[in-house]
Amino acid sequence: MSEPGGGRGFGSSVPQRAPWSLVAATAALCLVSATSVWTAGASPMSREEKQKLGNQVLEMFDHAYGNYMEHAYPADELMPLTCRGRVRGQEPSRGDVDDALGKFSLTLIDSLDTLVVLNKTKEFEDAVRKVLRDVNLDNDVVVSVFETNIRVLGGLLGGHSLAIMLKEKGEYMQWYNDELLQMAKQLGYKLLPAFNTTSGLPYPRINLKFGIRKPEARTGTETDTCTACAGTLILEFAALSRFTGATIFEEYARKALDFLWEKRQRSSNLVGVTINIHTGDWVRKDSGVGAGIDSYYEYLLKAYVLLGDDSFLERFNTHYDAIMRYISQPPLLLDVHIHKPMLNARTWMDALLAFFPGLQVLKGDIRPAIETHEMLYQVIKKHNFLPEAFTTDFRVHWAQHPLRPEFAESTYFLYKATGDPYYLEVGKTLIENLNKYARVPCGFAAMKDVRTGSHEDRMDSFFLAEMFKYLYLLFADKEDVIFDIEDYIFTTEAHLLPLWLSTTNQRISKKNTTSEYTELDDSNFDWTCPNTQILFPNDPLYAQSIREPLKNVVDKSCPRGIIRVREESFRSGAKPPLRARDFMATNPEHLEILKKMGVSLIHLKDGRVQLVQHAIQAASSIDAEDGLRFMQEMIELSSQQQKEQQLPPRAVQIVSHPFFGRVVLTAGPAQFGLDLSKHKETRGFVASSKPYNGCSELTNPEAVMGKIALIQRGQCMFAEKARNIQNAGAIGGIVIDDNEGSSSDTAPLFQMAGDGRDTDDITIPMLFLFSKEGSIILDAIREYEEVEVLLSDKAKDRDPEMENEEEQPSSENDSQNQSAEQIASGSQEVDLVDQEPPEESSLNSHPESLSPAVTDNAASISPSEQNFNPTENHETTSLDGECTDLDNQLQEQSETEEDSNPNVSWGKKVQPIDSILADWNEDIEAFEMMEKDEL
């Protein structure tokens, strides 16, 4: 997935559009300066408070960067919970995520220009020397072409850009002689074999040492790549060509962009998510502005800014018009099908689209940028961070948060465009949440589950490359940065490239291929170069007036902008459409309504009732729309009911000195005992039971009396263990897996079941930890003897009094704190939800009672489910004031989407394999039918 990361600095405002022929150096994309306007709705932040927050960002960066250099370097990334480096091949594979790691000190290279932005010039000089001395780009490792380009090649070029700037100033880097540029050129040549395809689209992966398709390369057999992967190369490759004079890099990147443009869907002007690199056929035909496509759009606009080529701006505006026509449903941005763009492709949004408001600012379209940004901020205020994915009614879809910087990026650009101090307060919230929930002794840890506050042993390089850069610039005045940020453009990884490259080494012929395929309406470019008067027409409260209707979008009420009521139908006295929650298969009136909507019932041999929808058989287009919405509601409703039988994850939080709540372990729940979601959390010191398996009467009841007992899994039922420790006076129990080395990294959790008998007699809370997570508590006991933990449904805020004690430790406690870091560093959080990318989760995410298809929608329900009365879905954290009339629910849905939670594994299958295969075949048949419709 692409990691969108930024935009250019802001030039002066002008009253009219700049001609396309203007090059980037003359600021063809004009944007409002930071001092131009501020909205009266928020109180101005004092210079002192801005400086204080800026200094806080510097301290946070020092904490993250310092721990990387101390505990991880020269490894690619820091593992902040175990205080060690992540080395490819030495840790359990994380799949595609590991393709960013190439044994080339990724975090150091990605952080180079951040050091200069944060005025750490001495550290920058030392870092450059380390890169030149230690980094090897000739490793036998398969890496992502996309990630290596934006992070490593971009990092080297950004470092070179600022190194020559510092050298010109005369104080630092006087010894520098383009060494980083030579490394960048070496890496560029290593990436070029990936472009050896008939289409010019690059292979998604390449071996740094052996290239493509050789036996020893272990790559080159792939056929597909994402649009962003092939379309996010032009800035770095063109900059490399302009810096070195070697035109081949820019030529290859332009060829890839040209091919993507030619393959766009001509009637909608949209592109799909993945494409075949040999044939040019779209593999995934859904389109949005999030993962898989995002930075393709970003680089079209920024390529025009950096290179001054009109065709890039024309293409961007053509795509942007399609995005605003089909995908934008303010404040939402919903994926659609490229062939049928009026149909939503899914009912959830991913976190990567948070970059888009920032790109809209660069485009000059401020209003929708404000709307979407405010919606995202409301989600963040609910969960402290932006979940990896959330539904259109703002429930958590994927609970992870790897400390992505896209929202901070958009916040920075909105503040630059509006000068509204409201966005400074937003940035302050981001700083507070990072320090409160993500900071650990050895850096900042990604959130494994935003609902419980559990951590993941991960600190991606983009966190240092982007997050701290945008947060610092948000609060910095011009004099706080040692160079003029307006002279540079941000890449998607927030690396800085100088705008003067637009007039350097221009050897590439600029054939305008855009106009061959489309006639552009000049109205597409009305917002190319806005000024203050256009953005805020005589209204200083403009931004606030846009945000105000969205204040309660998440919690209590639905914004008008995302509800479409069929007013014409209701005015004529027609009944509201049948809702899935009200449907009864035995109600003749309901069956008649289904028939009108093109929905038919099929009674299956196993007693289930299958619903199949043929839009062509509906009485009218409106009835067909109602039928599609009804089918989608039925699928979501059925999956919701099934998930209610599963319990959400719980949290074990170490609260005693010197941890103070910083270590949060995700625990598996039990189907018996005290329900922590309905009762107050349980807090107490831990003690090991004897016997440790807890399968007989305890011989040390005095040790566990009034404490939380630790028990080992195995040899008897969980309920039996619970009864034995409860009889000994324990106030809670933690079962630790007996499989040594087990971890949530490699195994899905399950909830502890009862023993088949009545378990109402068990009244204490019981939680489960894998061996690796349990060892953290056991190690803490060996080190400190008395360890206090909190058992709860989600992590609680840290105790302020304890924090104060921590801030002023005695000398006696210093060594203890150091030891605590080593124990806390072993913390590896356990997540009950096995997060998977969307393209991999569709098979197992369909609920057992459903058989969805793509075009001819189908669902099946058992007789016991024929009267639906759903309750709150705890697994997906249903928010207050759930909106049931959302835009996407009233629009036609031609492709059934995944369950709002990816593949959940509790030690038993969600769906029999035969049923899964049947569903999959049904999807394929329906998709083929959709293709025939297109022909």
Side-chain angles (χ1 to χ4, degrees), residues 452-677:
T452 64
S454 59
H455 295 128
E456 189 174 358
D457 203 1
R458 170 182 180 183
M459 188 178 79
D460 291 83
S461 68
F462 56 69
F463 182 59
L464 285 83
E466 302 183 62
M467 180 70 80
F468 296 112
K469 197 174 292 175
Y470 288 125
L471 287 178
Y472 181 77
L473 290 173
L474 177 64
F475 298 103
D477 290 330
K478 191 169 185 178
E479 57 269 23
D480 296 327
V481 183
I482 61 176
F483 63 97
D484 191 350
I485 200 75
E486 315 291 344
D487 293 337
Y488 296 81
I489 185 173
F490 288 103
T491 69
T492 196
E493 190 78 3
H495 293 307
L496 294 166
L497 300 176
L499 291 175
W500 54 257
L501 287 175
S502 61
T503 57
T504 302
N505 289 325
Q506 294 186 26
R507 302 181 188 177
I508 307 296
S509 60
K510 301 176 183 177
K511 177 186 176 184
N512 190 332
T513 60
T514 303
S515 299
E516 298 177 28
Y517 304 110
T518 182
E519 293 184 6
L520 297 174
D521 186 341
D522 192 56
S523 63
N524 281 334
F525 309 97
D526 284 346
W527 291 93
T528 299
C529 221
N531 64 12
T532 308
Q533 285 69 38
I534 294 176
L535 295 180
F536 306 97
N538 302 316
D539 185 3
L541 297 175
Y542 179 75
Q544 183 189 9
S545 67
I546 297 174
R547 291 193 303 264
E548 195 60 35
L550 303 172
K551 289 296 185 182
N552 296 318
V553 63
V554 172
D555 284 323
K556 294 184 178 179
S557 63
C558 301
R560 294 175 180 269
I562 62 173
I563 299 177
R564 188 194 308 161
V565 179
R566 295 188 335 186
E567 297 179 359
E568 65 279 3
S569 298
F570 295 156
R571 287 198 201 104
S572 63
K575 291 183 179 180
L578 177 65
R579 309 309 298 267
R581 63 175 180 266
D582 302 323
F583 171 69
M584 295 181 63
T586 56
N587 187 322
E589 183 180 355
H590 289 181
L591 297 180
E592 187 63 29
I593 295 174
L594 291 190
K595 183 178 180 181
K596 190 178 180 182
M597 294 189 299
V599 180
S600 57
L601 270 71
I602 301 174
H603 294 273
L604 304 178
K605 293 180 180 180
D606 59 5
R608 293 182 299 161
V609 178
Q610 186 179 53
L611 302 177
V612 181
Q613 203 257 355
H614 301 268
I616 195 172
Q617 297 178 4
S620 67
S621 60
I622 292 180
D623 290 316
E625 181 180 344
D626 288 342
L628 288 166
R629 174 197 47 75
F630 174 85
M631 294 296 292
Q632 183 64 32
E633 284 186 357
M634 184 65 74
I635 291 168
E636 293 177 352
L637 188 57
S638 183
S639 66
Q640 181 184 36
Q641 289 182 328
Q642 183 190 20
K643 286 183 294 182
E644 284 169 4
Q645 304 303 317
Q646 301 166 345
L647 299 175
R650 308 300 187 205
V652 175
Q653 191 170 10
I654 306 179
V655 296
S656 55
H657 174 83
F659 302 95
F660 304 117
R662 284 182 171 173
V663 177
V664 182
L665 310 174
T666 302
Q671 295 177 347
F672 53 84
L674 184 71
D675 187 349
L676 292 170
S677 66

Side-chain angles (χ1 to χ4, degrees), residues 100-117:
L101 311 180
K103 299 181 180 179
F104 36 36
S105 301
L106 175 62
T107 298
L108 181 63
I109 293 177
D110 222 0
S111 305
L112 286 177
D113 52 6
T114 304
L115 289 166
V116 181
V117 172

Side-chain angles (χ1 to χ4, degrees), residues 100-137:
L101 311 180
K103 299 181 180 179
F104 36 36
S105 301
L106 175 62
T107 298
L108 181 63
I109 293 177
D110 222 0
S111 305
L112 286 177
D113 52 6
T114 304
L115 289 166
V116 181
V117 172
L118 272 55
N119 299 332
K120 297 181 179 295
T121 48
K122 184 179 183 302
E123 291 89 339
F124 171 73
E125 191 160 4
D126 292 341
V128 172
R129 293 183 186 276
K130 284 185 172 66
V131 170
L132 300 180
R133 182 190 68 201
D134 300 335
V135 173
N136 177 23
L137 298 175

Side-chain angles (χ1 to χ4, degrees), residues 657-658 783-784 808-820:
H657 174 83
E783 184 73 22
Y784 301 104
Q808 298 177 343
S810 63
S811 58
E812 181 181 352
N813 290 334
D814 288 344
S815 60
Q816 288 186 339
N817 282 328
Q818 291 180 354
S819 300

Side-chain angles (χ1 to χ4, degrees), residues 109 122 125 250 281 317 481 502 584 651 710 718 766 907 910:
I109 293 177
K122 184 179 183 302
E125 191 160 4
E250 185 173 343
D281 295 332
N317 277 299
V481 183
S502 61
M584 295 181 63
L710 302 179
F718 292 120
M766 296 290 295
V910 175

Side-chain angles (χ1 to χ4, degrees), residues 65-79 83-88 90 100-110 126-127 129-137 139 141 152 183 461:
Y65 180 76
N67 275 287
Y68 165 75
M69 295 304 296
E70 179 180 353
H71 298 293
Y73 181 79
D76 284 317
E77 290 180 345
L78 169 69
M79 299 172 68
C83 294
R84 56 196 172 96
R86 184 179 295 280
V87 179
R88 188 90 173 264
Q90 295 183 12
L101 311 180
K103 299 181 180 179
F104 36 36
S105 301
L106 175 62
T107 298
L108 181 63
I109 293 177
D110 222 0
D126 292 341
R129 293 183 186 276
K130 284 185 172 66
V131 170
L132 300 180
R133 182 190 68 201
D134 300 335
V135 173
N136 177 23
L137 298 175
N139 300 312
V141 59
V152 185
M183 288 185 68
S461 68

Side-chain angles (χ1 to χ4, degrees), residues 842-854:
S842 60
L843 279 178
N844 290 332
S845 61
H846 296 311
E848 187 172 356
S849 61
L850 300 178
S851 300
V854 179

Side-chain angles (χ1 to χ4, degrees), residues 335 653 712 754 808 911:
D335 283 17
Q653 191 170 10
Q712 188 177 46
Q808 298 177 343
Q911 196 175 4

